[in-house]
Amino acid sequence: MEPPRFSLGCMPPGPQRDAEFDTLINGAIKRSIMSFSKLAGFAHDNSCLPAQYERMIAVMYYQLDANKIPRGERREDFDLQQFQIPFVCLTALGVTLPIWLCTEISTKLVKGLTDHWVDIRQWILFLYKEIISQHNVDIDLRLSCKTAVLEFLGLVRDRLLITWSRRITTDRGVMRVICELWFLETRDEQFFTWSSKGANQNQRESAVLNSCFLIAHEMDTTIDWENILGVFRGDTELIASAALRHLDREISQKPLDLRCVGWDMHIVSALSFRENIRLSLLRQGAIKAAADVLWLIVSQKWVGENNKVMAARCMVNAVIFLKVRMEDMDGTPFILQALDTDLIPSLLKCEPLLPFTDNETARQQPILVLGNLLTSYTIYRSVLRAMHPKIDAMGGTQMELNLIKGGQLHSAWLRLKEAVAERCWLMKRDIADGYHIQSCQSEKCARAGETGTLKRCGGCLHAFYCSKACQRYDWKYGKHKPYCRMVHQRYLRTNGQMATVQSKDIRFFDQIIISELRKHRARINTHRLKINVVELDFVGGNVDVIFDSRRVDPNPFGIKCSCERFAHARWVKIVERAKEAKDPVVLVRAYIPGGMSRKILLRVIPLGRVLGEENQDHLWVDETKLRLCLPNHLNLIYTCCGQESMKKDPEGFRG
């Protein structure tokens, strides 16, 4: 059965209109469904007076008195007749209040809603528990009930009711109902909003839930996640599945409803801020889902400014999700996922919608992903190999030619193309051939071997040792024990979703670092120093180079957590030990994008390797000789455990 429909016809003017209005009010008091329907229709009419509307809703509140809730009746005896009045009242309030909140009686209406909320809340909880959730109740009654409840709860979307709406986000019972209704859509096809039976409501489950998340964020209200997860039996995989099914169903509809896509994309983003839910979302393909939304939006031509504004919002929401979540865990696995879903062509097609974004920050998101984030990850050989054919495929296509020359997106595209071209050349020509070394993590050990020949620590998967003896020594006397435990906690916390850096990527870092240093070899050669200290920051797309040979600033990039403090302590020792070397060296500390936290690479390179063959006559260093004079001849890589622990451990790790 369809929910009540309201007549929008005008009532006759003058005394006759007043008399008919009084008759309708009296009929509503006597529970006449026809009277309620006509009154609700009259509330939309320009001839309706504020005083008349106040009388209408007073009658509706009267009928929604909690004392009128049926008591002690069997569920199988419920029929639509006994619930038509509360259904009409809930629906009428949800539909008409937003219209009248913009008038001079707004303050009274807000107070009235607040005063009667306790009673209405009891009705909502009763209707969900006793009707909507009961499989043995007539399906038409359940659907009509769901529609009425959603129409009323849709009031949380009105900004003039923000104070009242805030109470909703902290109400365990009502938030549970909202989540149950949202979840019900994915469990029972009869409740799909997109089905013929459910398609006549103004409000959607996703719209209401999304508004609650937004309000909680804006008003700094805490969401009771334990309560919400209770709807899903505490199973984060289940809530993630529901969110992605909602989104998938929306983007499969024709014609596309941009509002609905935006709501569902927002919900996925909101859920992703909970670490355990985020992991479930990523496991179930949230990266691909967001990339699909982006492609769907940018590949269509939108007519009308309103549609373009909505399309731009959906586009930006998808890009922001990708920008943040592609760098979850250790970055590269999700970057590769996004590249497989045609992320690059999607970003190139964003430009027509950029003028319709809400602000400059939103407008910058596709530009930052293309020119900064993707560019920064080209230092990974594994990413570069996947990205190169994507870049080549775009060359000379209409997507590239349509970019505004000199525009920000065009500049970002050129920056990415140039980085890929340069580093693909390095991938073909191994300029560091014969010098891909990896050092034992133990501070007491001076051994170094070919990259990939040392064994990883089985606890953290990030430290390398030449032997079990060195591993035991570093665990007992070094500083690996606290570092390993923190990284391993991250491994457990993420259910094993922690990727290690591949040996081929580590080898490629050598090539990138030497290539960058050679761009500045004239300056290095001019300095003629025995110890050249250089710091490279590859995070952010542009390579920042700082020459700190005199160590004026021992920590130019700052230390974000105890993991980095540990790496910094090792760096200080390397600098001190370098003084023992008889021949010139370059000490490199490189910061590398690494997902949820940057990685730090500590490298010692003979100066001759950097200056190139034409400058090596008097600077060539024998590797054996270098190891003897500089036992910590290093190529070490550290990764943060993913916790901002500076405040908890201001002194750093202790052995």
Side-chain angles (χ1 to χ4, degrees), residues 444-455:
K444 190 178 181 180
C445 183
R447 294 177 184 172
E450 182 74 12
T451 298
T453 59
L454 300 186
K455 302 298 183 183

Side-chain angles (χ1 to χ4, degrees), residues 279 282-283 285-288 291 322 324-341 343 373-374 377 380-384 386 462 490 494 496-502 505 593-597 599 639:
L279 296 173
L282 293 173
R283 269 194 295 270
I287 295 293
K288 180 182 183 303
L322 290 168
V324 175
R325 299 307 167 205
M326 280 193 301
E327 289 204 275
D328 259 303
M329 311 308 157
D330 290 273
T332 52
F334 297 121
I335 295 285
L336 292 171
Q337 276 188 29
L339 289 173
D340 284 341
T341 55
L343 174 61
L373 190 150
L374 292 181
Y377 276 87
Y380 285 86
R381 186 178 184 274
S382 54
V383 174
L384 188 62
H462 284 73
R490 171 186 162 197
T494 59
Q497 287 196 10
M498 184 174 69
T500 58
V501 182
Q502 299 177 16
D505 283 332
M596 63 198 304
S597 61
K599 300 181 187 300
T639 187

Side-chain angles (χ1 to χ4, degrees), residues 19 42 45 68 81 250 344 356 384 401 470 528 647:
F42 181 46
D45 199 294
K68 298 183 184 297
Q81 191 66 34
E250 283 297 355
I344 291 175
F356 298 93
L384 188 62
L401 298 176
C470 279
R528 296 195 173 276
K647 294 181 180 178

Side-chain angles (χ1 to χ4, degrees), residues 6 32 62 70 74 83 95 131-132 142 174 208 223 311 320 356 361 397 403 405 442 477 486 526 581 609:
F6 304 133
S32 165
Y62 171 74
R74 296 184 304 172
F83 292 106
V95 171
I131 298 180
I132 300 175
R142 294 173 69 195
V174 177
V208 176
I223 291 285
I320 290 176
F356 298 93
T361 300
T397 64
L403 292 175
K405 300 299 185 290
S442 175
Y477 301 107
M486 290 188 72
T526 302
R609 296 283 186 180

